Amino acid sequence: MSETGTQTVRFVRDTMLPEAAPPASQSGAVKWLRENLFSGWLNTILTILGALVLFQILRGLVPWFAHSVWNAQTLGECRQIIAETWGEGARGACLAVVRDRWTQWTFGFYPAHLYWRPVLALVLLFAALAPILFSAVPRRLMAFSALFPFVGYWLLWGGTIWTPVVALAGFVVGYAVWRGMAKRNALAAVLLAVAAALVWWLFLAGPVERALAGVAPLALESVRSSSFGGFVLALTIGVSAISLSLPLGIMLALGRQSDMFLIKTLSVCFIEFIRGVPLITLLFTASLLLNYFLPPGTNFDIILRVIIMVTLFAAAYIAEVIRGGLAALPRGQYEAADALGLDYFQAQRLIVLPQALKISIPGIVSTFIGLFKDTTLVVFVGLLDPLKGITDAVRASTDWKGIYWEPYIFVGFIFFLFCFGMSRYSMYLERRLKRDHR
């Protein structure tokens, strides 16, 4: 409004002012650069130093990859192609080794005419993981997820089909005993179920398997564990150890939090002992010392021994991660479970563990990623992992003798894809469960 003499004239605008663009320094890329890279003198110096380091790295890597060769049979032929194409003294990546030996990195020394079996096992693995990892997949497919370990074992190792069948029957026997005793005493039901399964596996499984094999000899060609290698070996050990270590870690975490002195003491001793011993020591124990404690003539598969040790190692670390999640829960959650009249197992299944596991997702996935990368340590017990065992075999061949960086870059890239995928899935799971509720 404006004043004229002693009178006041009121003015109301009847049209909107056109929308003005924000200042250039407060929008778009300029704003992002100011806030993230040049927000202060220290940040500016670090940005410039980082850019210089990145420039030096790319100045060597870009021409090296730009001069790469994918079609060659030997290292000498590869270097000859680089010299003829880009001149004498030019350097380039001889990625033809990947094209020439990718089956060896993937399957190790698995028989070539049986490659379809690990490929089929991998496809079925993704199908089995789908209902576990993604809520949109029908839950009824979980039955296949439970059967996959036995199907996968039969596909990879072969032999009679009755070996995985009688192994599965042990779980069926244990479950039947648990269902029959669960309403009377939950703890006694669990102990009796475990005892029944062990009796089946130790004393009854062998005779039943031989009898069934005599009646119906259904079998695939057997493959020795020494033929395993490359990423087939890494995935077999990694997936098995990840799948087994999570439930075992949960039990150890609950045992460490238990009020029962014996269970708590055993859990604490196991966790602290495993966490205090390097994984390589446990692998040597599985490879060398374990045979001294077995009956003469016992054939205990080396890959199975490694899986057991890696599982125990990972379970101890997962137990501590989950214990942190349990400790982070407010005491009121436990009191609420008591107020609802829930027993211990119901309270853990319905209230405590779901919240503790959501809190522990980052730590659990980090342990899984470290576990998958640690599968490369099996080279020290005579198994051909992709990073050292297979790569050394490739570099020792006369065709590729002298090659260095390309095999390690290829194997590292494949490991990065698997580990990055696990990391992204954990972020997706955190968003879906809305951990922070903000």
Side-chain angles (χ1 to χ4, degrees):
M1 61 185 176
S2 61
E3 297 182 1
T4 305
T6 59
Q7 296 183 354
T8 301
V9 179
R10 297 184 178 275
F11 174 77
V12 179
R13 178 178 293 276
D14 58 359
T15 59
M16 295 293 293
L17 289 172
E19 185 175 322
S25 61
Q26 296 299 321
S27 63
V30 176
K31 179 184 178 182
W32 185 89
L33 290 172
R34 289 187 59 187
E35 291 181 350
N36 294 278
L37 300 181
F38 303 99
S39 58
W41 66 269
L42 180 59
N43 203 5
T44 301
I45 294 175
L46 293 176
T47 298
I48 296 173
L49 291 176
L52 292 175
V53 172
L54 183 61
F55 172 76
Q56 292 294 331
I57 294 175
L58 293 179
R59 190 174 68 171
L61 284 181
V62 171
W64 191 68
F65 279 110
H67 299 166
S68 60
V69 175
W70 285 91
N71 293 305
Q73 300 299 319
T74 65
L75 180 59
E77 180 183 349
C78 182
R79 290 175 175 172
Q80 181 181 355
I81 293 174
I82 294 174
E84 292 175 353
T85 307
W86 288 282
E88 291 294 334
R91 299 183 60 193
C94 190
L95 298 177
V97 65
V98 176
R99 184 173 181 174
D100 185 52
R101 297 299 182 95
W102 70 270
T103 55
Q104 194 170 356
W105 268 300
T106 304
F107 301 102
F109 294 98
Y110 207 89
H113 66 285
L114 299 178
Y115 281 170
W116 65 271
R117 282 164 45 177
V119 171
L120 179 59
L122 180 63
V123 173
L124 295 179
L125 170 64
F126 289 129
L129 290 177
I132 300 174
L133 301 180
F134 303 103
S135 58
V137 180
R139 297 291 95 181
R140 60 178 177 272
L141 295 179
M142 290 285 287
F144 176 73
S145 302
L147 292 175
F148 171 76
F150 307 96
V151 176
Y153 169 83
W154 187 53
L155 285 174
L156 291 175
W157 274 273
T160 175
I161 193 176
W162 301 115
T163 299
V165 169
V166 297
L168 175 61
F171 290 97
V172 175
V173 169
Y175 176 75
V177 172
W178 177 81
R179 279 295 295 269
M181 295 289 298
K183 295 182 179 180
R184 302 179 184 178
N185 187 310
L187 181 59
V190 172
L191 296 177
L192 288 176
V194 173
L198 290 176
V199 169
W200 171 268
W201 288 324
L202 294 176
F203 301 105
L204 301 177
V208 171
E209 176 189 342
R210 288 189 292 271
L212 291 173
V215 175
L218 303 175
L220 291 175
E221 181 180 340
S222 297
V223 178
R224 297 174 58 86
S225 293
S226 57
S227 300
F228 280 63
F231 288 103
V232 166
L233 177 65
L235 285 173
T236 300
I237 297 175
V239 173
S240 301
I242 287 172
S243 303
L244 296 172
S245 62
L246 181 59
L248 182 57
I250 292 174
M251 290 189 291
L252 288 171
L254 294 178
R256 185 158 191 167
Q257 298 285 93
S258 175
D259 294 329
M260 302 176 68
F261 176 77
L262 180 60
I263 293 179
K264 182 175 182 178
T265 302
L266 292 176
S267 299
V268 170
C269 292
F270 176 84
I271 292 172
E272 297 302 330
F273 172 76
I274 295 295
R275 293 176 68 218
V277 177
L279 176 58
I280 188 64
T281 303
L282 298 178
L283 294 178
F284 276 122
T285 300
S287 175
L288 302 175
L289 300 181
L290 195 59
N291 287 332
Y292 292 104
F293 300 96
L294 296 176
T298 302
N299 183 19
F300 197 173
D301 189 86
I302 180 62
I303 294 181
L304 179 58
R305 284 182 271 168
V306 168
I307 289 175
I308 292 174
M309 287 302 179
V310 173
T311 299
L312 296 178
F313 183 81
Y317 283 87
I318 290 175
E320 288 299 280
V321 172
I322 296 176
R323 185 171 71 93
L326 293 171
L329 287 183
R331 185 62 190 171
Q333 297 296 314
Y334 297 89
E335 295 172 351
D338 294 337
L340 291 173
L342 302 178
D343 60 27
Y344 176 80
F345 294 101
Q346 291 174 328
Q348 295 295 334
R349 181 170 60 90
L350 300 174
I351 295 179
V352 176
L353 277 180
Q355 299 182 74
L357 291 176
K358 284 193 292 184
I359 295 172
S360 306
I361 285 175
I364 292 174
V365 175
S366 178
T367 303
F368 286 165
I369 291 174
L371 169 62
F372 184 67
K373 292 187 293 185
D374 284 344
T375 57
T376 56
L377 294 177
V378 299
V379 69
F380 293 105
V381 294
L383 296 176
L384 298 177
D385 74 303
L387 181 63
K388 183 67 175 173
I390 298 298
T391 297
D392 283 355
V394 171
R395 295 178 62 227
S397 66
T398 56
D399 291 339
W400 301 105
K401 193 172 184 64
I403 200 165
Y404 189 77
W405 290 107
E406 293 86 342
Y408 294 111
I409 291 175
F410 168 70
V411 175
F413 177 71
I414 300 299
F415 269 102
F416 170 78
L417 289 181
F418 282 109
C419 296
F420 183 72
M422 285 189 278
S423 175
R424 299 303 297 181
Y425 174 77
S426 72
M427 297 174 65
Y428 153 78
L429 191 61
E430 290 181 54
R431 289 193 300 268
R432 186 165 66 85
L433 298 178
K434 298 179 181 178
R435 290 181 56 247
D436 50 7
H437 301 286
R438 288 182 290 187

